[in-house]
Amino acid sequence: MMKKTLFLFLALVAMLPVSAQIRGNSIEVKVVPDHQDWTYKVGETATFTISVTRSNTLLNNVTIDYAAGPEMYQDVKKSGVVLRNGTLTLKGKMTTPGFYRVDVTAHVGDKEYKGACGAAFSPEKLQPTTVFPSDFESFWQNAIKEARNTDLYPTKRLLPERCTEDVNVYEVSFQNMQANYRTYGILCVPVKEGKYPALLRVPGAGVRPYSGDVYTASQGVITLEIGIHGIPVTMEQKVYDDVFNGALMGYWEFNMDNRDKMYYKRVVLGCIRAIDYIEQYTPWNGQKLGVTGSSQGGFLSLATAGLDKRVTCYAPVHAALCDHTASLKGVACGWPHYFYWNKGNGQEKQIETSRYYDGVNFARLITSQQKGWFSFGYNDDVVPPTTAWATYNTVKGPKEISPYQATWHFWFQEQWDEWENWLLGELK
């Protein structure tokens, strides 16, 4: 009986990770440029080699469709092209700084497989289009001042099941810009008594629970990971799915015609109040403080660093909400692509409001006392690298850039490791 029980247990354990081990596809669509760094000068010609492989072996006679040209504005489109010898070569060039993108869809059996390549042309010369309002800084400093008229009135609840030998983990909340509107988050504090540097983690778009950054805290850094929607961050996933598909569907467009009521106003202020919380209610050393996030969180990293000089380092990864108005000039614009589809027609109020919620304008406030690390992919079709580079070029303070060209709207393990190591290096 004992042997049978043990065998059953081991069999069940062996089965558990099976679904989690599914990774990638045997069939891959590869689009490879002829420059290793995917970078060219304006006026040069890039050569792209397209191939479709199964188990890294070329497939012949595969039918593909492709689109090529400036990202988001591709002007070459072909369907039903057959790769008789397994490959196809395309050429492309840019006469102005930007990204030339090739998207390929291969039809194998009854399935479609996609690949892409975005080649950079003089990206260091890209500049954003958004206008910097004359009262941008005063608008935000007045909003922060008004928000601070509301006491934080924090709450703090230990989460024993998440604590480790070295780190205490709490769900915390504090009032944001007005009474009874709260920001929730997961606070991780080293167990050993002392004063520590701190890191604020700000979220990507969506509605979800959070687990907190226990690893960084175990390295001797206070971490606070916040949600932005004013609801607890420890509920079951279905609650967040219901909210996202209901009351918060498309929240990034709420009140786009009014800068005082736009949804992101309380989100940005929540980030500043989160630093207030760190300063007042954690053993922060008062010296080193970082902020980081990806996508929407990249935008919030720029906003927080630009508005709050307590921030000493920031790391935006494929930052969204940057250069909204680029599409009005026929250039790739940042997520959520507010004015891409209708060219901004009849949206004068929304265009004006967007300038107060553009990551580029927050980046313009970053000082020489704040150090930045930027990373993104050249294949990203959510946050175009055109906007990522233009935003990076805007920053006047000390900065580093580390593109991982082949990534889309995700990151590689090496990219994550570099990101984490950079933060720890700056904070410790």
Side-chain angles (χ1 to χ4, degrees):
M1 184 66 180
M2 180 73 71
K3 284 187 176 180
K4 184 176 180 181
T5 302
L6 179 60
F7 176 81
L8 181 60
F9 173 77
L10 292 175
L12 288 171
V13 169
M15 291 172 62
L16 285 175
V18 170
S19 62
Q21 297 304 310
I22 297 175
R23 294 183 182 180
N25 295 292
S26 173
I27 295 174
E28 295 182 281
V29 179
K30 299 179 180 179
V31 188
V32 181
D34 59 339
H35 282 192
Q36 287 186 343
D37 62 357
W38 298 34
T39 302
Y40 302 79
K41 293 181 180 179
V42 166
E44 290 183 335
T45 298
T47 300
F48 304 89
T49 301
I50 299 170
S51 62
V52 181
T53 64
R54 177 186 282 122
S55 300
N56 293 323
T57 302
L58 280 177
L59 288 178
N60 294 328
N61 300 316
V62 175
T63 300
I64 67 167
D65 309 325
Y66 69 82
E71 64 173 341
M72 295 184 71
Y73 293 92
Q74 293 160 307
D75 51 6
V76 177
K77 297 183 180 180
K78 300 286 185 181
S79 299
V81 178
V82 179
L83 304 185
R84 301 199 182 280
N85 297 315
T87 63
L88 175 70
T89 298
L90 298 178
K91 296 184 181 296
K93 65 189 301 182
M94 297 280 288
T95 57
T96 57
F99 278 78
Y100 191 95
R101 182 181 175 95
V102 177
D103 280 287
V104 179
T105 300
H107 305 276
V108 182
D110 60 351
K111 294 185 178 180
E112 293 184 348
Y113 299 86
K114 298 182 182 296
C117 179
F121 284 81
S122 302
E124 73 284 353
K125 295 182 180 180
L126 280 165
Q127 292 298 316
T129 66
T130 189
V131 173
F132 186 77
S134 60
D135 64 344
F136 181 87
E137 191 167 10
S138 62
F139 168 77
W140 279 108
Q141 292 306 324
N142 288 335
I144 293 170
K145 183 178 179 180
E146 290 177 11
R148 285 178 174 154
N149 289 331
T150 299
D151 194 284
L152 289 173
Y153 283 128
T155 68
K156 184 177 180 181
R157 179 172 68 91
L158 183 69
L159 303 174
E161 70 281 4
R162 301 191 188 184
C163 296
T164 69
E165 181 181 356
D166 301 315
V167 178
N168 285 327
V169 182
Y170 308 87
E171 182 176 35
V172 301
S173 76
F174 45 87
Q175 293 192 137
N176 184 337
M177 61 184 287
Q178 62 190 45
N180 300 318
Y181 177 77
R182 305 189 75 80
T183 295
Y184 288 80
I186 302 295
L187 175 69
C188 300
V189 182
V191 170
K192 185 178 179 180
E193 287 193 19
K195 296 290 187 179
Y196 296 95
L199 175 66
L200 174 65
R201 286 195 175 274
V202 285
V207 188
R208 64 183 71 83
Y210 295 98
S211 56
D213 184 359
V214 177
Y215 172 75
T216 304
S218 74
Q219 304 302 301
V221 177
I222 298 163
T223 63
L224 176 58
E225 182 177 36
I226 62 170
I228 63 170
H229 300 298
I231 57 178
V233 293
T234 54
M235 299 181 289
E236 63 179 28
Q237 182 63 49
K238 186 179 186 305
V239 175
Y240 303 101
D241 293 341
D242 289 344
V243 171
F244 183 64
N245 292 314
L248 290 179
M249 181 177 286
Y251 67 83
W252 46 84
E253 294 182 342
F254 289 179
N255 297 319
M256 266 291 293
D257 59 349
N258 187 324
R259 69 176 187 176
D260 290 306
K261 295 182 179 180
M262 206 278 191
Y263 192 84
Y264 278 112
K265 182 178 182 181
R266 59 183 179 179
V267 175
V268 171
L269 292 175
C271 296
I272 305 302
R273 300 312 311 270
I275 297 181
D276 291 346
Y277 176 88
I278 290 172
E279 181 177 45
Q280 297 175 37
Y281 294 100
T282 76
W284 176 46
N285 64 15
Q287 298 174 3
K288 296 292 187 72
L289 192 149
V291 59
T292 192
S294 65
S295 195
Q296 174 187 265
F299 157 72
L300 294 175
S301 297
L302 294 167
T304 307
L307 294 175
D308 199 319
K309 303 318 170 195
R310 291 172 293 184
V311 173
T312 59
C313 65
Y314 62 100
V317 175
H318 46 244
L321 291 117
C322 289
D323 209 13
H324 300 303
T325 55
S327 59
L328 302 182
K329 299 181 180 295
V331 177
C333 58
W335 181 90
H337 317 300
Y338 286 130
F339 313 116
Y340 177 67
W341 305 107
N342 67 355
K343 313 299 183 186
N345 293 327
Q347 291 188 295
E348 289 75 15
K349 289 183 178 180
Q350 289 85 347
I351 291 170
E352 178 62 25
T353 296
S354 77
R355 293 170 178 146
Y356 293 88
Y357 297 91
D358 195 309
V360 168
N361 286 335
F362 291 107
R364 286 168 168 155
L365 300 179
I366 292 171
T367 72
S368 61
Q369 304 303 310
Q370 299 168 295
K371 188 173 181 180
W373 183 84
F374 292 71
S375 191
F376 47 88
Y378 286 5
N379 283 348
D380 196 333
D381 56 352
V382 177
V383 172
T386 294
T387 65
W389 259 104
T391 303
Y392 173 80
N393 292 340
T394 299
V395 175
K396 303 302 183 185
K399 58 189 178 181
E400 300 176 30
I401 190 168
S402 185
Y404 281 72
Q405 287 87 346
T407 58
W408 294 52
H409 203 58
F410 57 79
W411 51 79
F412 290 144
Q413 183 65 53
E414 297 91 340
Q415 189 175 11
W416 171 267
D417 293 342
E418 183 183 350
W419 180 6
E420 178 70 16
N421 290 336
W422 185 87
L423 287 167
L424 288 173
E426 289 301 314
L427 292 171
K428 298 195 68 181

